[in-house]
Every structure is written in C-alpha cells, then in structure tokens.
C-alpha cells in the first residue's frame, strides 16, 4: 500500500519546497505527481524552454526520498500558443468556439495542436526521460473532462471524413448502413457529410453513434502520440493516464489496448460523485457525508480490469471539494476509509489531491492535505493515521494480489453511447442500470470484476450483463462454451452495429442460446409501475419494460401481474425483461449465484466487504453501528468487529460466517 500526493511547486514560493518535501516524506507519502498544468512556466514563449525551476523541484523532492510522477501539461495550452493558432480552440455543439481562460481549451482533432503537443512532450521527455526518480509519466489530465471530447470544428470534420471512409470504403455502403433513404438523407460523397449537430430535430442515430466512435478513437490516438514519445525516452517508467469516475465518453478498453498504458490511474471524488450521478434523492441524503458505498468501488473494479490488474488512484478526495452541487465535509474517518477501500480492491497507490489548498484562482475552495496556512487539514490527519497503521502492520504494507472474483459484470461503452443517443424514456440510463446490479451484488457480500464483453470470461461462475446493445457471435460463443450462470438485462441484443433493430427482433443473436423475442418495449413514467412477484419478493418495473414471447422450451420464471413474462431462462442463461425495482434485481442475482455455487450473505445497510490476498476488509458507510461479518475467532489486523460510521477493519481468512 503506497500513498501519494499531487503537488504544484509552480504555485508556491521556492522557499517552501524543501520543507514541503520533508513533510511529505514524514507523513508517509512515497509518490508525488507534478507538472501537469505547468506548460506556461516550462515554455513561456514559443520554443523558449525554462527547465531550471522544474529541475530544482524534481531534485528537491527526490532528495527527500520521494518518487515522481511527471504529467505532460497538454490539458492547458498557454496563451501564446492559442494566440498563434486560434483554431486549436474547440467548437461547441452550438457552433461557438470556447475561449482561453480556464483549461482543456483544445480541439483534440486539431492537427496543429497535436503537432505542438508532440513537439513539447518530446522536449520534456528528452530532458527527464532517463531521470531515475521519475517512476511514472501521466499523459495530459482527465481526457474529456468538462465535456471537452466532442469538437464540432472543421478539423474534426476533416478527420471524421477520413474515419468514415476507412470504415465504409464507399459512400453507397455508408448510405445503406445508415439507412439514409429515410428523410432523403443520402450523400453522394464522403465530403458531403456533415457533423451531427445543429439539425432541427434528431440527427440519424447511427450518424451520432459513428461520431462518438470516431471521437473515442480520437482520444485514444491523441494519447498514443504522446505514449510513443515517452516510450522512446522513458523506457523504464510506468506510463499512465488519469481517468475519471462514471465517465464513458470514450471506450477505455480500446484506449488501453496494445499496452497504451501500463497502469490505469483514476481520480476518485466519492462525495462529489454521489452528488452528481442520478441516484434517488433519498440515497444522496443518506450518504451525503460518506458517499454511496459502491460509488468508488464500482470504478476501482472497472479500472482494475482496464489496467489488466494494475490500477492507481491518482487523485483521491481528502476533504470538501469545490465542483459538485453541494460540497459537504466528509464524515470523520472517510478519508482514511477510502484509502483502505482502494487497496482492498487492488490499488497499488492512493495519491491525494492535493498537498495544500491553493488560496487563489479557480480551486481555492478545494481542500488538500494542508490548509492554506500549511497546517495539516482534518483529511491530512487521517492520512497520517493510515500511513502510520500501514507502516506498523506487516500484513497491510505487503498486501497480497487482488482477489480474482467469481462474479463478473460486463460493462460496455458503446451500449452507453447507443442508449444515451436513444434513451427512449427520460430516465433510462445504462450506466445506472449497471450500477444497480453492481450494488445488489455488493450487498450480497460478493467481490465483482467489471469487464469488457471481449474479455476472456471463462473463469467466472456468474456473468451478469445488465444490458448490451449489440450481441455478437463472439459473445454467443463464450456463452455456449461456458459453464457459468448468465443474467442478461433488458435491451440486450436490441441493436446491430449499424444501430438498427435485428431482423430476428431483439435480443438478436442471444436467441441462439435463449429462444425468445421482444415484441414491444415501453418506457415508464414514475407513475407507471407494472407489478410482479419473483420467488417470495414483490416489486415492480421502473424506467423500462418489454413485452416478450418465450419460444421453444424457454421457461418463464416470473411474470408481471398482467401476465407478460418478466424473467425467462433457458439452461444457464436468464433474461430479465425490465428494469426491476432494486430488491428484485437482488433476488434474481441471489438465485443465479446460488445456482452458480457462490455463497452470498446479505450485509447490513451501508456495510461492504472486499477480499485481497488473505485479508477480508469491511467498511461501514452507513449511519448505524454494525458488526463486521468476520468468523467468531477471526484475527483482526486492523480495527475491530464493531464498526461505527466511517470505520474499517480487516481480518485474516477470506471466509465470512
Ligand atoms: C480533477 C482534476 C484536478 C482538479 C480536481 C479537483 O478533475 O484532475 O486537476 O481539478 O479535479 O477536484
């Protein structure tokens, strides 16, 4: 378990650096990330590099025994660059160009900007690539943050044309695949195609899907241009990017392909995230100071697979932040708890944002480990406590491998895009559907891997696919060869890759293993709640329901009160024909886990467990004091069985009673 911090030497007088470095090391911090927003100080005028301040900052930190993570500063191009090339500023969907004066003000498709980035990163990597104190490099910062992935610029249009040409080869093939005969949308050349903005009503959904696929590839290729430079100059460093929580604008699996990263790092702001995702108001209120118990775990489990087992938390919330609708102070213990939670899920490093609260500019209301007057903040004191505990406890400092879960959830980025483009009902949100299933599995005490449908799923005993828009032959092949229990949710197999309804009706190719058809679908306003019973549980459908027909020897395991099938199964494969109320999702999963031979245990409200190596951790996010589900004679290496709000404990032995 290693702790890190984000530090901005350029924001503080040099006279503070030595003391800062010393205090970081004393606190138990081992890694420091620097430089990711400092372009204007490294190159104040075009071609005029000023490295000496950065040399000194690196030397000072390294002299205190700290390891460095160096960020490339391409998330904030300096004013001289924007003045020389105003066309690097991105264009919004309404056709207006963004201004200079904050950050992420660049068009990812701008060939001029890409050239500038490669030029700058080459100079930076040539200077620092072989420095042994720099153990990792981060490209850019939070690609896509502030909704900056799509740019509706001439530069984006030009590259979109080339992308389409590569994908479809001929414009007739594109017209056919897109169904452009509809509303006379046919094109006579690739050059005639526009971007899917500023249309009086909906653009063709496949036009939108392809634009999102294109932009996703743009993000990956922008990052790869820097990786190529960094691999050459810093062959021994870990290369990474800091991703975001609940962020789906680009396909992270594709981004990480072909060793484009060594570690998946992500930025965890649990309270702000709980406030900003569409959770029921009652949950936001209940977890306002602890964050929802699954909100960080969900992304820990997702990024662990994106990093092929290796993940870091590059920025961890250490107190109140500045960017959500409301920004409360975390409950006592949470800053410490979130670190252990990340480690339990397999993190190698948890790095806090930021060393000291900055008293000026945009983030002055954002906490750090130190108050602006340099006193340790309440969060800083909790980090100190965690660091001391880890140092004093051998089984914490040398944690075993992350446990490979028996249960997988498939998460698919394209499905998110497709169902965002065609919600069909105001409240349908694919990622929240996945989250609902994830929460149910975690309430049952299970460890979960969140994986791509293209991953090798053969080692899992239970595979949950809350939904997947396109079901291809490869996935059907995986199901046919597998002995796992499978659960598919609504809208699965409802589209082809060209965003059309499959000719055999949904769920498309899933019918090879589960004979059934979806005849009609409906979205449900909050007052429409079709009722059903599953086993001894009563509940209802919400957001989305399907009218389906069971074919052949497919079984109907539950039906709605109006007699339409709700849960169907064929062998080891189940289909849930609606977004069910939460308790029913849990009941379906509990039954599938049982049939998969996986033991479940319903945990107390707000309690979660996670296994790593020979340790089991328990965390209390709830308002009441609870008991950790440890065996009677468990040996606790951290904390104790009784857990107040914000408490954590860990014991040896992965077994629960
Ligand atoms: C992140 C970003 C940081 C800082 C932080 C504040 O999104 O990477 O630079 O702005 O949020 O919470």
């Amino acid at each position: 378990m290693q702790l890190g911090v984000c530090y901005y030497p350029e924001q503080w007088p040099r006279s503070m650096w030595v003391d800062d470095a010393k205090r970081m090391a004393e606190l138990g911090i081992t890694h420091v990330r620097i430089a990711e927003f400092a372009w204007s100080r490294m190159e104040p005028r075009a071609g005029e590099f000023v490295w000496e301040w950065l040399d000194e900052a690196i030397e000072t930190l390294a002299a205190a025994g700290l390891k460095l993570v160096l960020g490339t500063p391409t998330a904030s191009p300096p004013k001289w660059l924007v003045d020389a090339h105003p066309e690097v500023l991105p264009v919004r969907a309404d056709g207006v160009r963004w201004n200079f004066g904050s950050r992420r003000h660049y068009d990812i498709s701008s060939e001029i900007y890409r050239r500038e980035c490669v030029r700058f990163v080459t100079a930076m990597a040539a200077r620092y690539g072989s420095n042994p104190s720099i153990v990792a490099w981060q490209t850019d910062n939070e690609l896509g943050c502030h909704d900056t992935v799509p740019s509706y610029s001439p530069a984006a249009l030009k590259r979109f044309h080339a992308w389409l040409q590569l994908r479809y080869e001929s414009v007739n093939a594109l017209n056919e695949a897109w169904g452009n005969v509809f509303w006379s949308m046919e094109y006579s050349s690739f050059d005639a195609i526009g971007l899917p903005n500023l249309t009086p009503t909906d653009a063709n959904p496949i036009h939108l899907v392809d634009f999102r696929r294109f932009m996703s590839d743009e993000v990956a290729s922008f990052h790869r241009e820097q990786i190529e430079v960094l691999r050459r100059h810093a062959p021994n460093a870990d290369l990474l990017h800091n991703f975001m929580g609940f962020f789906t604008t680009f396909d992270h699996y594709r981004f990480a392909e072909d060793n484009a990263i060594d570690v998946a790092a992500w930025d965890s702001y649990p309270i702000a995230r709980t406030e900003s995702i569409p959770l029921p108001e009652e949950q936001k209120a209940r977890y306002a100071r602890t964050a929802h118990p699954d909100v960080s775990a969900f992304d820990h489990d997702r990024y662990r697979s994106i990093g092929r087992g290796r993940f870091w938390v590059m920025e961890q919330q250490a107190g109140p932040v500045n960017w959500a609708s409301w920004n409360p102070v975390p409950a006592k213990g949470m800053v410490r708890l979130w670190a252990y939670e990340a480690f339990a899920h397999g993190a190698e490093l948890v790095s806090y944002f930021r060393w000291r609260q900055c008293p000026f500019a945009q983030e002055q209301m954002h906490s750090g480990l130190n108050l602006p007057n340099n006193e340790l903040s309440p969060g800083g004191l909790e980090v100190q406590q965690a660091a001391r505990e880890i140092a004093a406890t051998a089984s914490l400092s040398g944690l075993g491998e992350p446990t490979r879960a028996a249960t997988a959830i498939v998460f698919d980025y394209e499905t998110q895009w497709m169902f965002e483009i065609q919600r069909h009902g105001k409240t349908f949100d694919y990622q929240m559907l996945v989250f609902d299933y994830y929460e149910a599995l975690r309430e049952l005490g299970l460890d979960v891997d969140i994986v791509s449908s293209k991953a090798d799923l053969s080692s899992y005993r239970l595979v949950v696919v809350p939904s997947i828009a396109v079901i291809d032959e490869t996935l059907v092949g995986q199901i046919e060869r597998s002995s796992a229990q499978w659960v598919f949710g609504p809208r699965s197999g409802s589209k082809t890759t060209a965003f059309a309804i499959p000719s055999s009706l949904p769920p498309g190719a899933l019918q090879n293993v589960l004979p059934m058809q979806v005849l009609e679908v409906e979205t449900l306003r909050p007052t429409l709640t079709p009722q059903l019973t599953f086993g001894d549980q009563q509940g209802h459908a919400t957001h989305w329901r399907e009218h389906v027909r069971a074919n052949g020897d497919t079984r109907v395991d539950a039906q709605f009160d109006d007699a339409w099938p709700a849960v169907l199964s064929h062998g080891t494969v189940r289909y849930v024909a609606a977004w069910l109320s939460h308790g029913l999702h849990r009941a379906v999963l509990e039954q599938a886990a049982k049939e998969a031979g996986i033991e479940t245990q319903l945990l107390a409200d707000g309690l979660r467990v996670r296994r790593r190596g020979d340790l089991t951790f328990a965390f209390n996010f709830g308002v009441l004091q609870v008991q950790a589900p440890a065996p009677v004679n468990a040996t606790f290496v951290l904390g104790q069985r009784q857990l107040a709000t914000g408490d954590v404990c860990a014991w040896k032995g992965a077994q629960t009673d």
Side-chain angles (χ1 to χ4, degrees), residues 8 33 36-37 103 141-142 145-146 242 244 267 269 315 321-323 353 363 366:
Y8 301 91
R33 185 194 66 182
E36 83 278 10
F37 289 112
R103 65 175 174 185
N141 189 79
E142 294 191 341
C145 182
H146 316 309
N242 59 331
M244 286 175 282
D267 297 344
Y269 293 92
E315 299 178 13
V321 308
N322 64 327
W323 52 264
F353 190 86
E363 294 186 341
H366 196 296

Side-chain angles (χ1 to χ4, degrees), residues 253 298 301-302 304-305 403-412 430 434 437-442 446-467 475 478 482 484-489 589 592-593 596 598 610:
Y253 306 123
F298 186 62
D301 289 344
R302 179 155 49 182
R304 190 178 59 252
S305 80
T403 305
R404 172 126 195 169
T407 304
I409 282 195
V410 168
F411 180 83
D412 182 61
Y430 163 70
V434 180
Y437 273 96
Y438 178 80
E439 181 184 24
L441 290 166
R442 301 281 299 136
L446 300 180
D447 292 341
V448 179
D449 288 347
I450 300 184
V451 298
S452 154
S453 65
K454 296 185 177 62
D456 175 6
L457 302 171
S458 59
S459 70
Y460 295 106
R461 283 188 280 156
L462 171 60
V463 183
V464 181
V465 189
S467 188
L475 182 56
Q478 293 231 53
S482 132
Q485 294 291 321
W486 293 74
V487 179
F488 283 86
L589 294 174
I598 300 171
R610 170 76 204 181

Side-chain angles (χ1 to χ4, degrees), residues 3-6 142 266-276 287-292 295-296 300 313-324 326-331 333-342 350-355 365-370 377-380 382-383:
L3 298 171
V5 78
C6 304
E142 294 191 341
W266 80 281
D267 297 344
S268 176
Y269 293 92
I271 290 186
R273 187 61 57 211
T274 301
E275 191 55 68
S276 38
Y287 296 121
R289 290 195 191 280
T290 59
H292 186 289
V295 93
S296 296
H300 292 326
V313 176
M314 199 69 255
E315 299 178 13
Q316 172 65 57
Q317 174 167 8
V321 308
N322 64 327
W323 52 264
W326 291 277
N327 299 291
V329 170
M334 291 314 297
V335 172
R336 167 176 172 264
L337 181 152
W338 290 323
Y340 285 117
E341 183 194 21
V350 173
S351 161
Y352 288 91
F353 190 86
R354 49 184 280 152
W355 173 243
M365 302 303 284
H366 196 296
S367 61
L369 299 187
N370 289 278
S377 66
E382 289 191 21
V383 174

Side-chain angles (χ1 to χ4, degrees), residues 72-93:
T72 69
T74 51
S76 52
K79 185 66 165 57
W80 59 258
L81 196 161
V82 173
D83 284 346
H85 307 285
E87 65 274 42
V88 305
L89 292 168
V91 179
R92 305 193 311 207

